[in-house]
Amino acid sequence: MTVGGSPSDAAARQGAVDRAVANAPFLARLCGIFPGDVDRFLADGADAALVHCAGPDQSDTDIMRALRRWRGRSALLIALGDLSGEHDLLTTTRLLTDFADRAVDVALAAALADRGGDGRLKGIAVVALGKMGSFELNYSSDIDPILLFDPATLPRRAKEDPGEAAVRIARRMMALLGDRTADGHVLRVDLRLRPSPEVTPIVLPIDAAISYYESQALPWEQAAFIRSRAAAGDSALGRYFLGAIQPFIWRRALDFRQIKEIGAVSERIRDHYAQGQAFGPGFDLKRGRGGIREVEFYAQVHQLIFGGRDAALRAPATVDALAALGRAARIDAGDAARLADHYRLYRRIEHRLQMIEDQQTHALPLAADALDRVARLDGLADGDALLALLQPAVADVGGVYDRLVDDARDTGRWPQGEAGLRAALASVGFADVDAAAARIAAWRSGQVRVLRSSAAQAALEAMLPPFMTALARAEDPAVALADFDRMISGLPSAINFFHLLAARPGLATLLTSILMNAPTLAAALAVRADLIDGLIDPDAQGAAADAAALIGELRTATAGCEYEAVLDTVRAMVGERRFALGVQIVEGAADPVAVGRCYGRLAEAALTVLTDATVATYEAAHGRIPGSELVILALGRFGGGTLTHASDLDLIYLFSGDHLAESDGPRPLGATHYFNRLAQRVTAAVSVPTAAGRLYEVDTRLRPSGAQGPLVVSFDSFTQYQRDEAWTWEHMALTRARVVYGSPAARAALDRIIAEILHAPRDLAKLVVDAADMRGKMAAHKPPTGPLDVKNASGGLVDLEFAIHVVQLTHRTGFAPALDDALTELAAAGLADSALVADEALLTRLLVSLRLVAPDGDPQSPGKRALIARACGMAGWDALRDAQAAAQRRIGLWWQVISRAQEG
């Protein structure tokens, strides 16, 4: 016997190290960084070596570095245990998950300590979903937790709001785990599986979360909680939450339609990842036909159907779930055993793929030498041997899964004959049966381009019953049907769209509501039908809670892309999130003011990422100007942080440093010329339509000297202009200024300049006269378009802004870019009626809703009026109009008092 095992064990360990060094650059680097761990492994095995790396080095005072080095050591030893055969799949995934649990606990403890914690993990729970929840993490996996807090027990500083403290703790924990340093990262944390991630904070009060899952949660969320557990933090709090929502997860009354829904999702995944469907090099082990996802779906759909009545079927791990279903004869025992074996094989090869360079990848390499590397890492001769090993499993899984989906396909198609079709339409409530039947006949004959293939016709037939049933309930079915026809006529493809409508009747109802009530969203769908995918896909739901998170998402999505691809990707992602946010208003699921703020954060994130990309490409050609940088100032609604669905961005471009300096690149430019050309490119990056569509219009007319002045000016020129030449209205506009791009130092410098300008002494009589004169000119140039023009009408938002700005500049206080914040400060100082705060909120809600529901400002249909009233928190249209009138009376009176202060 040798130390640590038999000679064959020693040979297996040495072989594992040799294969890792030869074929996996990531593991080779770790072997060089941690030679002591390699020696322990070679001598005694992975388990013995892992005893020496049970946590971060306590002597290292840099927690970021300590965590990352601990992760590196753990990743190395877990990989070697796997490669040597010492650990099977279950052991490997459990070790990876155990590490994730402990790492989250360490990071959370450090974050709690910053807020005054006593070392105990209390008041905040980490509930793991997905593979972390089932102890099945892969080698380079994201983790998908939901974070919950108890306001009563969360450690926090004196007078600190519990919700704000919880968010700060969560952000610190995420940074400790996810920020990439010279030592790498620990874990990528994805919080988008929480309820309504586009509008909710990253950590939720536990009572609110329980209420959501009891009353509002979506079907995909139910499936997600099959694999859930209290993984870290306050475990008692996490277990209490999961116990409270058990009835939501395991429903006794669930029927077999769940198979159809899962099948539709699978088809959508196959369509979306079409390049990874064909078996061979490039095959996607996770999403491809017959891959990992289909084994998991196969198990989960049967668990959802039968688990509500049989607790023995609720095993979180896929292999365990298959075994339980086979024992209970809910699935064929032979299928269960084979699928489990195939799943173990897939996960093993998935780990090999990820060990190469620590990448979250699931696709077999296309290049032969790269495929050979993966095979050799697994102990196989070459890529052909690997493909031969996988091919029978892929074929078997695909066949079993297809039988499941085929068995559940809806055979309730509508009749092809005219009489039968009319009867079906009448049965669901269509009044104008003739027109509807004629429209369907035209679709069936292929008169619409997207319906000319057999696949499209099959998808149409599956979609017709649920969609036409929903359409019949519309306020005006004939109008909605015509709008839908126009919408699909402009699409390049509608197969997946129809599949979704067939699988999800709720989407048909929502689409009907969009067609009837939200022309802005309907127009977006007519260009990109896949926008509706985001309403069921947890990875694409709306906007993140803050600009920083959104910037991170966009940067991740565009990393490594060519410049044009960055433009397209940002447009596509922003379009998806804007659409999802608009749907929140249509469904009555969010306050339009909150949606408007999300619109604002989304625009800031897009501007930041596009400007970063533009600056990088520009500097490659022209170099940098030492000591100078581009700085972007937002004004108007963007400055205030609340946009509508179709808002422009009011921007001023500035640059810091010496205006006489010159760039240091191969094609040097003087500072003024350099930054003017750069700003033009930024404007184009944000506003020019690409293949992915439009993004935002940019308005730069508020810059010094307006449209006649240079596009970009230096800080010095800006300061001089504002002190000596600016009109009163320009200082009024400056009260809503907010720096949205620039380094912290440049932001602080510009903030000081603006504060100095706004607090400067001024002729108060001239201020009032100038403001009243400017408002009069605006009214003459742009009169209100109707009674619902809440911007330009007497007592509308423009009057309110003018009144606020005059009071701000008169008293040199309340300088907050957001109108609601400014009003709140002025009211607290006794300078404004506190009722105006609610008035501003009401008019803003009305404005945001109108831009989405009635862009022409005239919602004539009862349905649109009811939607807008509901969005504004009113019982009905008449109540809304009365509240609007009262608000405008108060605002108008306030403006009249201020604007006439110098009369007489």
Side-chain angles (χ1 to χ4, degrees):
M1 294 287 290
T2 61
V3 176
S6 68
S8 61
D9 293 336
R13 292 197 287 268
Q14 185 62 59
V17 173
D18 292 343
R19 296 201 312 277
V21 171
N23 299 294
F26 173 67
L27 296 181
R29 290 194 296 272
L30 292 180
C31 287
I33 296 170
F34 304 112
D37 289 316
V38 177
D39 291 342
R40 288 193 187 96
F41 166 75
L42 289 172
D44 302 314
D47 285 336
L50 281 166
V51 171
H52 295 275
C53 95
D57 185 353
Q58 298 298 314
S59 66
D60 194 337
T61 58
D62 185 339
I63 183 66
M64 297 279 279
R65 181 175 59 219
L67 279 167
R68 281 148 184 77
R69 287 180 63 82
W70 177 34
R71 191 265 171 168
R73 297 178 64 197
S74 298
L76 173 62
L77 291 172
I78 293 171
L80 293 175
D82 183 2
L83 292 171
S84 67
E86 180 179 345
H87 296 153
D88 60 11
L89 174 68
L90 176 62
T91 303
T92 299
T93 57
R94 180 168 284 275
L95 285 170
L96 290 166
T97 309
D98 285 342
F99 168 79
D101 288 357
R102 287 180 288 144
V104 173
D105 266 340
V106 171
L108 185 56
L112 285 167
D114 292 343
R115 317 307 299 175
D118 57 6
R120 292 184 296 163
L121 292 169
K122 64 178 183 180
I124 187 165
V126 180
V127 174
L129 301 180
K131 287 184 170 63
M132 185 182 183
S134 56
F135 288 98
E136 293 177 295
L137 279 182
N138 58 43
Y139 192 76
S140 184
S141 184
D142 294 352
I143 60 172
D144 301 288
I146 290 176
L147 306 182
L148 307 167
F149 76 96
D150 179 3
T153 59
L154 182 76
R156 61 185 188 276
R157 297 170 183 169
K159 299 183 180 180
E160 188 176 34
D161 176 77
E164 294 177 357
V167 168
R168 293 188 182 102
I169 291 167
R171 285 178 179 161
R172 175 60 174 160
M173 181 197 78
M174 292 175 67
L176 288 171
L177 294 172
D179 284 2
R180 187 170 289 276
T181 71
D183 297 302
H185 73 288
V186 184
L187 294 164
R188 291 176 289 266
V189 183
D190 187 342
L191 298 178
R192 289 175 295 176
L193 292 185
R194 70 187 187 278
S196 303
E198 66 277 6
V199 295
T200 57
I202 58 176
V203 56
L204 303 172
I206 188 166
D207 289 339
I210 291 172
S211 176
Y212 172 84
Y213 288 110
E214 288 178 338
S215 61
Q216 303 177 47
L218 301 172
W220 69 260
E221 292 173 300
Q222 179 195 4
F225 272 92
I226 291 177
R227 301 189 291 182
S228 62
R229 63 185 175 88
D234 190 334
S235 58
L237 185 66
R239 289 194 298 271
Y240 168 76
F241 165 75
L242 289 174
I245 67 167
Q246 283 300 297
F248 153 71
I249 304 172
W250 301 109
R251 301 177 184 176
R252 294 177 62 83
L254 194 67
D255 63 25
F256 282 85
R257 284 177 296 179
Q258 196 74 26
I259 298 179
K260 182 180 174 184
E261 292 192 1
I262 294 290
V265 172
S266 179
E267 289 180 20
R268 186 166 59 84
I269 290 170
R270 288 177 176 178
D271 288 345
H272 185 70
Y273 294 97
Q275 73 278 10
Q277 297 300 315
F279 183 74
F283 176 72
D284 192 317
L285 273 177
K286 180 177 180 180
R287 305 176 185 92
R289 178 188 179 277
I292 291 170
R293 179 75 49 94
E294 293 189 356
V295 178
E296 294 172 343
F297 279 180
Y298 188 87
Q300 289 168 12
V301 70
H302 288 95
Q303 287 181 287
L304 287 171
I305 292 168
F306 303 112
R309 294 183 179 272
D310 186 353
L313 303 179
R314 299 176 186 177
T318 302
V319 170
D320 294 341
L322 288 168
L325 290 163
R327 285 193 300 269
R330 296 299 187 181
I331 61 176
D332 180 82
D335 286 348
R338 294 197 321 280
L339 290 177
D341 287 342
H342 300 332
Y343 188 73
R344 294 186 187 97
L345 170 63
Y346 290 160
R347 295 299 307 279
R348 189 182 88 215
I349 302 304
E350 180 187 52
H351 286 171
R352 304 297 178 263
L353 290 169
Q354 296 176 356
M355 288 172 184
I356 301 290
E357 268 298 1
D358 194 28
Q359 295 295 315
Q360 176 71 334
T361 183
H362 314 279
L364 299 178
L366 286 166
D369 58 342
L371 189 63
D372 288 344
R373 175 182 289 180
V374 176
R376 288 194 297 268
L377 184 61
D378 193 55
L380 301 171
D382 54 27
D384 289 340
L386 176 59
L387 294 176
L389 180 66
L390 288 169
Q391 193 278 331
V394 170
D396 190 23
V397 172
V400 172
Y401 187 80
D402 284 346
R403 288 197 300 274
L404 169 72
V405 176
D406 289 341
D407 288 345
R409 292 194 188 278
D410 187 0
T411 57
R413 302 292 194 257
W414 276 7
Q416 292 289 322
E418 184 176 342
L421 178 59
R422 288 168 178 267
L425 287 166
S427 71
V428 299
F430 258 91
D432 191 349
V433 170
D434 292 343
R439 187 81 66 179
I440 292 173
W443 293 344
R444 284 173 164 173
S445 68
Q447 291 183 23
V448 177
R449 180 169 57 88
V450 296
L451 290 168
R452 291 173 185 167
S453 69
S454 58
Q457 285 291 321
L460 169 69
E461 294 300 331
M463 176 273 290
L464 279 177
F467 177 65
M468 298 304 289
T469 300
L471 208 63
R473 303 190 191 107
E475 182 179 353
D476 191 335
V479 170
L481 186 60
D483 287 343
F484 180 76
D485 183 72
R486 281 192 294 272
M487 188 190 86
I488 63 173
S489 295
L491 293 174
S493 173
I495 295 174
N496 196 43
F497 184 46
F498 291 162
H499 279 314
L500 288 176
L501 294 177
R504 302 295 294 266
L507 285 182
T509 301
L510 175 58
L511 176 60
T512 300
S513 183
I514 289 172
L515 291 171
M516 292 302 303
N517 299 315
T520 303
L521 300 182
L525 279 175
V527 177
R528 285 187 60 196
D530 65 308
L531 288 172
I532 208 163
D533 290 13
L535 305 181
I536 69 165
D537 185 348
D539 290 337
Q541 287 191 33
D546 55 55
L550 280 167
I551 290 169
E553 286 185 23
L554 293 175
R555 282 176 173 162
T556 298
T558 56
C561 291
E562 297 292 332
Y563 183 64
E564 290 74 16
V566 173
L567 302 187
D568 285 341
T569 301
V570 170
R571 280 160 171 74
M573 292 181 68
V574 170
E576 291 165 3
R577 284 159 174 77
R578 287 166 82 179
F579 182 82
L581 287 168
V583 170
Q584 291 274 327
I585 295 176
V586 173
E587 290 188 298
D591 183 346
V593 171
V595 171
R597 289 173 181 150
C598 285
Y599 284 144
R601 292 193 289 271
L602 190 57
E604 184 175 349
L607 177 65
T608 298
V609 173
L610 290 176
T611 304
D612 282 345
T614 304
V615 168
T617 59
Y618 191 74
E619 288 178 349
H622 300 290
R624 305 181 65 181
I625 298 181
S628 292
E629 63 178 284
L630 181 69
V631 183
I632 304 178
L633 193 62
L635 292 98
R637 300 201 68 82
F638 190 28
T642 302
L643 298 178
T644 70
H645 194 85
S647 288
D648 295 348
L649 305 185
D650 291 313
L651 304 179
I652 292 179
Y653 295 111
L654 304 162
F655 69 91
S656 61
D658 184 1
H659 73 282
L660 297 177
E662 190 174 80
S663 67
D664 57 9
R667 288 181 283 168
L669 297 171
T672 299
H673 189 37
Y674 177 98
F675 284 110
N676 270 274
R677 288 181 59 180
L678 174 57
Q680 289 171 354
R681 295 193 182 187
V682 171
T683 296
V686 174
S687 61
V688 170
T690 73
R694 287 186 171 274
L695 194 55
Y696 299 102
E697 294 296 329
V698 173
D699 190 338
T700 60
R701 290 174 296 176
L702 292 176
R703 67 185 186 268
S705 300
Q708 304 306 313
L711 182 60
V712 188
V713 297
S714 68
F715 279 18
D716 289 343
S717 295
F718 177 77
T719 303
Q720 182 275 325
Y721 176 85
Q722 293 291 344
R723 284 175 178 168
D724 303 332
E725 302 177 47
W727 296 74
T728 298
W729 67 265
E730 292 179 284
H731 285 180
M732 293 169 64
L734 208 58
T735 62
R736 304 201 71 187
R738 180 171 61 94
V739 185
V740 291
Y741 187 84
S743 68
R747 289 172 183 254
L750 188 52
D751 284 341
R752 286 193 296 271
I753 292 170
I754 293 170
E756 180 183 340
I757 293 164
L758 295 179
H759 285 85
R762 62 187 70 248
D763 184 332
L764 300 183
K766 184 177 184 301
L767 166 65
V768 174
V769 170
D770 287 351
D773 180 61
M774 175 54 67
R775 181 65 187 102
K777 290 178 179 177
M778 288 179 64
H781 176 69
K782 194 171 184 179
T785 57
L788 289 174
D789 188 343
V790 295
K791 279 186 65 176
N792 299 301
S794 176
L797 288 168
V798 174
D799 278 357
L800 180 61
E801 288 188 43
F802 268 69
I804 291 171
H805 299 336
V806 170
V807 174
Q808 287 172 318
L809 293 172
T810 299
H811 296 275
R812 304 180 201 174
T813 190
F815 291 120
L819 288 184
D820 56 344
D821 291 340
L823 263 177
T824 299
E825 292 183 28
L826 294 178
L831 299 173
D833 184 347
S834 59
L836 293 169
V837 177
D839 293 338
E840 186 275 336
L842 174 65
L843 297 190
T844 298
R845 287 187 183 96
L846 188 51
L847 179 70
V848 173
S849 301
L850 284 168
R851 290 292 187 267
L852 187 74
V853 174
D856 60 358
D858 187 17
Q860 295 183 343
S861 73
K864 287 186 177 182
R865 291 183 172 186
L867 189 158
I868 294 170
R870 181 189 66 198
C872 293
M874 295 294 161
W877 184 251
D878 291 341
L880 172 60
R881 295 288 282 118
D882 289 344
Q884 176 198 351
Q888 291 184 213
R889 279 195 300 272
R890 279 188 292 271
I891 293 169
L893 179 60
W894 192 38
W895 170 239
Q896 288 177 20
V897 170
I898 290 170
S899 63
R900 296 173 182 173
Q902 300 303 313
E903 290 183 3

